Amino acid sequence: MKFHQHISVLPTYEVGKPLELVMRDYNIEPQNIIKLGSNENPLGTSPLAKEAILENACNAYIYPDDSYYELKESLAKKYDIESNQIIIGSGSDQIIEFCIHAICDKNTKVLMAKTTFAMYAIYAKHCNATILRTPDFFHNLDSMLQYYEAHKPSIIFLCTPNNPLGEALPKSQVIDFLKKIDRESLVVLDCAYMEYCAYKDSNYAISPKDIIDFPNVIYLGTFSKIYGLGGMRVGYGIANKTIIDTLNKIRPPFNITTLSLKAASASLFDEEFLQDSVKNNFSEMEKYKQFAKQYEIDILESYANFVTFILHNKLNSTKISNLLLRQGIVVRDLASYGLNAVRITIGISQQNDIVIQKLTDILQDL
Amino acid sequence: MKFHQHISVLPTYEVGKPLELVMRDYNIEPQNIIKLGSNENPLGTSPLAKEAILENACNAYIYPDDSYYELKESLAKKYDIESNQIIIGSGSDQIIEFCIHAICDKNTKVLMAKTTFAMYAIYAKHCNATILRTPDFFHNLDSMLQYYEAHKPSIIFLCTPNNPLGEALPKSQVIDFLKKIDRESLVVLDCAYMEYCAYKDSNYAISPKDIIDFPNVIYLGTFSKIYGLGGMRVGYGIANKTIIDTLNKIRPPFNITTLSLKAASASLFDEEFLQDSVKNNFSEMEKYKQFAKQYEIDILESYANFVTFILHNKLNSTKISNLLLRQGIVVRDLASYGLNAVRITIGISQQNDIVIQKLTDILQDL
């Protein structure tokens, strides 16, 4: 067979280490593993979602309602938009894939920040598109605009709050930016962590309603983070009907599971769980800030559900990540992003206390 | 935005009508709906799989082990192959998508039978590939070989047993065919319904082990049919390591859910459920054969979990399907395949009795 040459040389996305691998490699029991490498919700699954899963387990043999009617109606109500302005994906990742596959080929360019969610570039490489990155450490909309004008990319990715660095963009700046982009370029606004950001500072809160009148903008959200359904693979894209209709043409049928559909629909209005999740996040984040201050380690201001430490001098991110891993603590080494940095998901109180104690031990042993 | 022209004109796959739609459109309670339009397992979900779902519902917030270690080890054991010869997909559909995306573009050709699983052509159109079909009603390997030699397609799809017609190919013929295809063409052997076929006639039973030494053949299997997990979206591809490694480069991370992984692993060795499923299938299929004989309707010999009636004269497949639908019975009208035919999944005894009674009523009213 002649596989496409550009596919054969593709990199593979590095995922956070799963429990099973830590158990196998380090012989640690699952209850002793602290998994803070994948930005999952440390409060677990929304109780309403769990109930929906238990109720529907007997229906695992039935394909889901491929129109996703109930979930789209609920999302439309929540965001005050129309249900035909919504597409459902197997995680918001899959909507990224749809956008790139529907637009890109070897003659197109995709623009993104220097350090941002790895899947944008990976999917762009599936289509052999040219990847452009702004040179700044954080998202910089002035740079982004310069690159846009110079290169006219077919797609621009903005990730706010940004994974893996945690910075966010003020709503007013984003809207001003969008007004300057003509409709030949699709802007993908990845808001996977928006619920955390909106709680922290309302000036940074962007809602699908804010962008729905732009003809060339799509808003991405996910059930994997605040909704506590990372394992169920459900995300959504919200844009005008023309964009949604086109993306739906390449959406495979039954792209989420029967149980995922029920769980996502149930979790959407679990307000108590959502409130508990954001509150735990920002109160517990203080502990990491204190730790960073005490040991004079750079910690990035985070609008999301993780903190990122930028390491200097004697500290090596891979070494520290591995030392923690041997003790059953999973964090994300950002070496694959070209950074000497570690990203840690904010856990529940007890988890964070243990992580900070282990980090302290490691620093004192150096 | 400039969406690819060939994407804008894509058709959308017509799925079997979901319960929710029948309930909404015809105001019928779910317990009164007989859903025989999507070839789901009428015995429901394997009890072992259901147990795994219940046990793991609390882990819905955790991403799955993306190596799918446990499931691959179990499949490798079952089929006596190596775990690095397996790729896991969101249904075997997704493996079809991987194969096409990794190989096809507007300069490539894809060969398939005249009437076969609709997704082959749909994914081929995603990549703007040329679709070739043999002219015969059923799969015909002589025709397939002639087309192969004349057009040198990049991919050849064989579906055995074939959906939606139900015919199968003898193993010896398939192996002879594979020997005549050079390694420039990938042969995808879609065996989604193989467990039924293997039970009916061992001469038609093809195992992954039979094809693993061909450098250019991939075997597809699924948990959606005999394993009773249609709603959980898990399928697999088995081929030599080189093919699997390349396809894995375009597999998105976490392409199946945490609960799907657990359910599939549990169902794989639920021998009692599998035996009950095939036995119910072929004993109940006799009722439809009797009915066809009595009313002189053509029924195709089926090696799968459905029967297909070819209608003539006054009978119209769309009209009959709609008459059944209004009474809460979902079957698959094959008009979209260009056939005046109806495909009915074999249900449990009570369901089949009702369907045959309703069909009888319809015929007598005509």
Side-chain angles (χ1 to χ4, degrees):
Chain A
M1 304 75 53
K2 290 176 193 154
F3 289 115
H4 293 310
Q5 177 59 25
H6 67 273
I7 301 255
S8 304
V9 298
L10 276 180
T12 304
Y13 179 65
E14 183 199 356
V15 303
K17 294 213 166 24
L19 290 180
E20 290 84 349
L21 188 143
V22 181
M23 288 161 61
R24 286 195 303 271
D25 289 1
Y26 299 98
N27 200 21
I28 299 173
E29 289 302 307
Q31 67 273 18
N32 296 326
I33 297 172
I34 296 179
K35 188 169 183 287
L36 300 176
S38 302
N39 299 340
E40 292 145 338
N41 190 327
L43 301 194
T45 305
S46 135
L48 296 185
K50 189 181 163 188
E51 200 181 307
I53 291 168
L54 296 177
E55 269 175 21
N56 286 282
C58 55
N59 292 325
Y61 73 106
I62 303 177
Y63 289 103
D65 172 5
D66 190 58
S67 73
Y68 305 142
Y69 178 86
E70 181 189 357
L71 179 58
K72 284 187 193 170
E73 288 293 317
S74 299
L75 280 166
K77 188 175 163 197
K78 180 167 187 121
Y79 288 128
D80 187 23
I81 50 156
E82 303 295 322
S83 63
N84 62 18
Q85 295 170 327
I86 303 171
I87 183 169
I88 303 297
S90 176
S92 51
D93 303 30
Q94 197 182 31
I95 319 279
I96 298 166
E97 185 184 0
F98 295 157
C99 291
I100 290 174
H101 281 204
I103 291 176
C104 294
D105 58 28
K106 65 180 176 180
N107 301 314
T108 56
K109 295 168 193 157
V110 174
L111 176 61
M112 65 194 72
K114 182 179 178 185
T115 304
T116 190
F117 187 43
M119 293 308 298
Y120 310 148
I122 291 176
Y123 286 126
K125 286 175 186 169
H126 285 195
C127 294
N128 211 6
T130 300
I131 294 158
L132 304 171
R133 293 178 188 269
T134 50
D136 317 83
F137 186 79
F138 290 127
H139 272 68
N140 178 328
L141 292 178
D142 292 333
S143 285
M144 205 61 95
L145 200 61
Q146 282 173 23
Y147 269 67
Y148 160 71
E149 284 165 356
H151 302 284
K152 294 290 174 182
S154 298
I155 306 185
I156 302 169
F157 283 98
L158 298 183
C159 187
T160 181
N162 184 31
N163 175 20
L165 300 182
E167 88 274 18
L169 292 164
K171 175 177 155 180
S172 58
Q173 283 185 25
V174 170
I175 300 298
D176 284 349
F177 176 82
L178 295 178
K179 287 177 182 166
K180 291 172 189 155
I181 308 299
D182 74 32
R183 61 172 66 199
E184 293 302 296
S185 298
L186 176 69
V187 183
V188 179
L189 201 60
D190 185 347
C191 298
Y193 300 90
M194 182 50 72
E195 295 86 355
Y196 298 98
C197 172
Y199 176 87
K200 175 168 171 160
D201 187 338
S202 63
N203 290 318
Y204 290 73
I206 303 174
S207 158
K209 185 91 172 166
D210 298 322
I211 61 88
I212 197 72
D213 290 333
F214 288 97
N216 61 325
V217 180
I218 185 166
Y219 177 105
L220 305 187
T222 185
F223 287 89
S224 298
K225 306 303 172 187
I226 191 100
Y227 291 101
L229 292 173
M232 299 306 282
R233 315 305 297 122
V234 191
Y236 52 90
I238 299 178
N240 69 73
K241 185 171 175 299
T242 308
I243 292 178
I244 297 302
D245 284 350
T246 304
L247 297 182
N248 261 322
K249 285 177 181 286
I250 53 171
R251 182 183 65 81
F254 313 129
N255 59 323
I256 69 168
T257 79
T258 296
L259 299 185
S260 303
L261 182 59
K262 297 292 182 185
S265 301
S267 74
L268 199 55
F269 294 100
D270 195 343
E271 289 299 338
E272 188 182 342
F273 180 77
L274 301 180
Q275 280 299 310
D276 289 350
S277 298
V278 282
K279 281 180 188 163
N280 173 78
N281 188 66
F282 288 108
S283 64
E284 289 295 313
M285 194 185 283
E286 290 302 318
K287 293 178 179 172
Y288 288 96
K289 287 186 184 174
Q290 283 298 323
F291 165 79
K293 194 172 175 184
Q294 189 177 348
Y295 287 90
E296 296 181 337
I297 299 171
D298 283 344
I299 185 170
L300 303 180
E301 176 77 3
S302 171
Y303 289 78
N305 68 345
F306 54 83
V307 285
T308 301
F309 293 107
I310 305 292
L311 308 177
H312 297 296
N313 303 325
K314 282 189 284 183
L315 304 176
N316 175 281
S317 66
T318 304
K319 187 177 168 189
I320 288 182
S321 302
N322 285 336
L323 284 170
L324 289 170
L325 191 59
R326 278 181 219 163
Q327 300 175 79
I329 296 169
V330 187
V331 300
R332 181 68 70 96
D333 173 19
L334 297 183
S336 66
Y337 286 83
L339 296 174
N340 183 26
V342 171
R343 189 193 72 190
I344 304 178
T345 308
I346 307 298
I348 56 174
S349 178
Q350 193 193 1
Q351 293 175 322
N352 301 322
D353 293 344
I354 294 172
V355 171
I356 286 168
Q357 184 57 55
K358 298 287 185 191
L359 280 172
T360 305
D361 294 347
I362 289 172
L363 292 181
Q364 286 172 348
D365 284 353
L366 285 174
Chain B
M1 302 76 52
K2 290 176 192 153
F3 290 115
H4 293 312
Q5 177 59 25
H6 67 274
I7 301 256
S8 304
V9 299
L10 277 180
T12 304
Y13 179 64
E14 185 198 356
V15 303
K17 293 212 167 24
L19 290 181
E20 290 83 350
L21 188 143
V22 182
M23 288 161 60
R24 284 195 304 271
D25 289 1
Y26 300 97
N27 199 20
I28 300 172
E29 289 303 305
Q31 66 273 19
N32 295 326
I33 297 172
I34 297 179
K35 189 169 183 286
L36 300 176
S38 302
N39 299 341
E40 290 144 340
N41 190 327
L43 301 194
T45 305
S46 135
L48 296 186
K50 189 181 162 189
E51 200 180 308
I53 291 168
L54 296 177
E55 267 175 21
N56 287 282
C58 56
N59 292 325
Y61 74 107
I62 303 176
Y63 289 104
D65 172 5
D66 190 58
S67 75
Y68 305 142
Y69 177 87
E70 181 190 356
L71 179 58
K72 285 187 193 169
E73 288 293 318
S74 298
L75 281 166
K77 189 176 163 196
K78 179 166 188 123
Y79 288 128
D80 187 22
I81 51 156
E82 303 295 322
S83 63
N84 62 17
Q85 295 170 327
I86 303 170
I87 183 169
I88 303 297
S90 176
S92 51
D93 303 29
Q94 198 182 32
I95 319 279
I96 297 167
E97 186 184 0
F98 295 158
C99 292
I100 290 175
H101 281 204
I103 290 175
C104 294
D105 58 29
K106 64 181 177 180
N107 301 315
T108 56
K109 295 167 193 159
V110 175
L111 176 60
M112 65 193 73
K114 183 180 178 185
T115 304
T116 191
F117 187 43
M119 293 309 299
Y120 310 148
I122 291 176
Y123 287 126
K125 286 175 185 168
H126 283 196
C127 295
N128 212 5
T130 299
I131 294 158
L132 304 171
R133 293 177 188 269
T134 51
D136 318 84
F137 187 79
F138 290 127
H139 273 68
N140 179 329
L141 291 178
D142 292 333
S143 286
M144 206 60 95
L145 200 61
Q146 281 174 21
Y147 270 67
Y148 160 72
E149 283 164 356
H151 301 283
K152 295 289 174 182
S154 298
I155 307 185
I156 302 169
F157 284 98
L158 299 182
C159 187
T160 180
N162 184 30
N163 176 19
L165 301 182
E167 88 274 20
L169 293 164
K171 173 177 155 179
S172 60
Q173 283 186 25
V174 171
I175 300 297
D176 284 349
F177 176 81
L178 295 179
K179 287 177 182 166
K180 292 171 188 155
I181 308 299
D182 74 32
R183 61 173 66 198
E184 292 303 295
S185 298
L186 176 70
V187 183
V188 178
L189 201 59
D190 185 347
C191 298
Y193 299 90
M194 182 51 73
E195 295 86 354
Y196 299 97
C197 172
Y199 176 87
K200 175 168 172 159
D201 186 338
S202 63
N203 291 318
Y204 290 73
I206 303 174
S207 157
K209 185 91 173 166
D210 297 324
I211 61 87
I212 198 72
D213 290 333
F214 288 96
N216 61 326
V217 180
I218 184 165
Y219 178 105
L220 305 187
T222 185
F223 287 89
S224 298
K225 306 302 171 190
I226 191 102
Y227 292 100
L229 292 173
M232 300 306 282
R233 316 304 297 121
V234 191
Y236 51 90
I238 299 178
N240 69 72
K241 186 174 175 298
T242 308
I243 292 178
I244 297 301
D245 284 351
T246 303
L247 297 181
N248 261 321
K249 286 176 180 285
I250 54 171
R251 182 183 66 80
F254 312 129
N255 58 324
I256 69 168
T257 79
T258 297
L259 299 184
S260 303
L261 182 59
K262 296 292 182 184
S265 301
S267 74
L268 199 55
F269 294 100
D270 195 343
E271 288 299 337
E272 188 182 341
F273 180 78
L274 302 180
Q275 278 300 310
D276 290 348
S277 298
V278 283
K279 280 181 189 162
N280 173 77
N281 188 65
F282 287 107
S283 64
E284 289 295 314
M285 194 185 284
E286 289 302 317
K287 293 179 179 171
Y288 289 96
K289 287 187 183 173
Q290 283 299 322
F291 165 79
K293 195 172 177 184
Q294 190 177 347
Y295 287 89
E296 295 181 339
I297 299 172
D298 282 345
I299 186 170
L300 303 180
E301 176 78 3
S302 172
Y303 289 79
N305 68 345
F306 54 83
V307 284
T308 302
F309 293 107
I310 305 291
L311 307 178
H312 297 296
N313 304 326
K314 283 188 284 183
L315 303 177
N316 174 281
S317 65
T318 304
K319 187 177 169 188
I320 288 182
S321 301
N322 286 335
L323 284 170
L324 289 170
L325 192 59
R326 279 181 217 164
Q327 300 175 80
I329 296 170
V330 188
V331 302
R332 181 68 69 98
D333 173 20
L334 297 184
S336 67
Y337 286 84
L339 296 174
N340 184 24
V342 171
R343 190 194 70 190
I344 304 178
T345 309
I346 307 298
I348 57 174
S349 178
Q350 193 194 359
Q351 293 175 322
N352 301 322
D353 293 344
I354 294 172
V355 171
I356 287 168
Q357 184 56 56
K358 298 288 185 191
L359 280 172
T360 306
D361 295 345
I362 290 172
L363 292 181
Q364 286 172 346
D365 285 352
L366 286 175

